[in-house]
């Protein structure tokens, strides 16, 4: 399994759960080598197999190197979690410049497309592969729009929802299932990059269940979608949002 952005937050929880479930895991990360290595160590300390690979999913050559490294060190990928994602400081659309928009879209959209491309070239029966599964990490923001915070981020996740539907249909006959999770307000460090580290505790009042979620609760949905238990599920979404 390749988990992009597996060094922290939802990606780290997914990698750890995958290790416990018997996957060999590649933890991709951007800068935070120590966090990535901590995840690797936790898996290998429990007799699992894992590696960490630095690669910027927004850079095509990095993604190609990531998948080539996995080919060499773990064997061809059978499960991809397109999890790496970013947001920027909370602001309105009338304050967003093109540089910001391009940065968000390059990581959140282009990164997912190019990672999926590399996975399909290895998984698809059309290319001689044995099939596999992809889970895209979208967001409840794709339905809500994130007004006054980051409409750019929300729109990037809207693109991921459409990507999930289209790609699932495109590769449905080639042994590949493609699904997405839409997390709600989850306790991770991503909110600090929006300028509000404690955001989940502010907004949890608006959640029907009146609490934020944990990365582990999202990881469980991802692992289910990747598993054989979800063998007839493709082009689908699991909202992990406490009802929001
Ligand atoms: P996080 O705690 O901020 O972790 C982000 C992870 O992505 C880190 O491992 C980071 O690596 C990596 N990363 C960032 N940019 C990257 C790039 N260009 N290439 C490769 N890796 C990159 O984030 P999170 O909250 O767990 O979010 C994970 C996913 O869930 C994102 O797609 C996010 O949009 C989505 N989501 C989160 C929430 C929430 O409330 N937390 C809600 C809905 C959806 P480094 O450690 O090296 O920086």
């Amino acid at each position: 399994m390749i988990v992009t952005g597996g060094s922290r937050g939802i990606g780290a929880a997914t990698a750890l759960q995958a290790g416990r479930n018997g996957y060999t895991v590649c933890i991709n990360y951007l800068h935070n080598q120590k966090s990535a290595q901590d995840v690797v160590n936790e898996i290998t300390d429990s007799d699992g197999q894992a590696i960490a690979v630095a690669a910027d999913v927004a850079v095509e050559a990095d993604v190609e190197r990531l998948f080539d490294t996995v080919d060499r060190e773990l064997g061809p990928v059978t499960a991809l979690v397109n999890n790496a994602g970013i947001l920027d400081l909370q602001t309105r659309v009338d304050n967003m410049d093109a540089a910001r928009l391009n940065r968000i879209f390059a990581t959140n959209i282009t990164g997912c497309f190019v990672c999926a491309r590399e996975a399909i070239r290895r998984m698809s029966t059309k290319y001689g592969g044995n099939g596999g599964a992809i889970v895209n990490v979208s967001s409840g923001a794709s339905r809500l729009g994130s007004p006054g915070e980051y409409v750019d981020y929300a729109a990037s996740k809207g693109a991921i929802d459409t990507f999930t539907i289209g790609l699932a249909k495109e590769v449905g006959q080639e042994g590949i299932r493609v699904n997405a999770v839409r997390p709600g307000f989850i306790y991770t460090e991503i909110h600090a990059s929006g300028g509000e580290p404690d955001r989940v505790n502010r907004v949890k009042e608006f959640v029907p269940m009146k609490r934020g979620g944990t990365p582990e609760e999202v990881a469980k949905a991802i692992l289910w979608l990747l598993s054989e238990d979800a063998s007839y599920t493709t082009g689908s979404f699991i909202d992990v949002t406490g009802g929001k």
Side-chain angles (χ1 to χ4, degrees):
M1 176 185 301
I2 296 176
V3 183
T4 67
S7 48
R8 292 183 288 122
I10 293 167
T14 302
L16 291 170
Q17 187 60 52
R20 285 192 286 272
N21 290 10
Y23 285 95
T24 59
V25 191
C26 170
I27 289 106
N28 157 253
Y29 65 101
L30 183 59
H31 296 309
N32 205 328
Q33 203 265 338
K34 186 191 175 307
S35 298
Q37 195 55 47
D38 286 347
V39 177
V40 168
N41 291 346
E42 197 168 330
I43 293 172
T44 54
D45 286 352
S46 311
D47 296 328
Q49 196 185 348
I51 60 171
V53 179
D56 183 342
V57 296
V59 175
E60 190 167 25
D62 275 25
V63 173
E64 290 169 350
R65 179 178 46 76
L66 166 67
F67 279 77
D68 289 344
T69 304
V70 170
D71 286 344
R72 270 198 320 278
E73 298 194 20
L74 301 178
V77 63
T78 58
L80 168 66
V81 184
N82 255 331
N83 167 76
I86 56 168
L87 47 76
D88 209 330
L89 290 174
Q90 296 175 2
T91 191
R92 285 166 45 102
V93 170
D94 41 305
N95 287 323
M96 293 177 186
D97 62 16
R100 167 182 168 133
L101 298 173
N102 289 333
R103 196 168 56 247
I104 300 291
F105 298 161
T107 298
N108 295 8
I109 306 175
T110 308
C112 285
F113 270 75
V114 176
C115 286
R117 181 193 77 199
E118 292 303 309
I120 290 162
R121 290 178 180 173
R122 289 159 174 83
M123 294 175 180
S124 170
T125 52
K126 181 169 167 267
Y127 289 95
N130 294 319
I134 298 172
V135 170
N136 297 321
V137 180
S138 173
S139 171
S142 74
R143 291 184 283 98
L144 301 171
S146 306
E149 293 193 323
Y150 15 70
V151 173
D152 51 352
Y153 168 84
S156 76
K157 297 301 187 177
I160 292 308
D161 287 1
T162 307
F163 173 56
T164 302
I165 293 166
L167 184 62
K169 292 175 179 171
E170 209 164 84
V171 298
Q173 287 182 65
E174 298 170 23
I176 306 173
R177 296 181 300 102
V178 184
N179 294 289
V181 293
R182 282 190 291 231
F185 306 130
I186 311 298
Y187 288 100
T188 74
E189 293 167 358
I190 201 170
H191 308 286
S193 40
E196 190 185 1
D198 202 32
R199 175 171 174 263
V200 177
N201 285 329
R202 173 176 61 85
V203 294
K204 67 184 182 187
E205 291 312 312
F206 306 113
V207 176
M209 290 180 70
K210 299 290 176 206
R211 68 171 179 87
T214 65
E216 290 73 23
E217 289 175 307
V218 182
K220 284 177 188 162
I222 294 171
L223 266 295
W224 182 78
L225 286 168
L226 291 172
S227 77
E228 266 308 295
D229 288 345
S231 55
Y232 197 51
T233 300
T234 196
S236 288
F237 298 84
I238 298 181
D239 288 352
V240 189
T241 59
K244 176 84 175 145

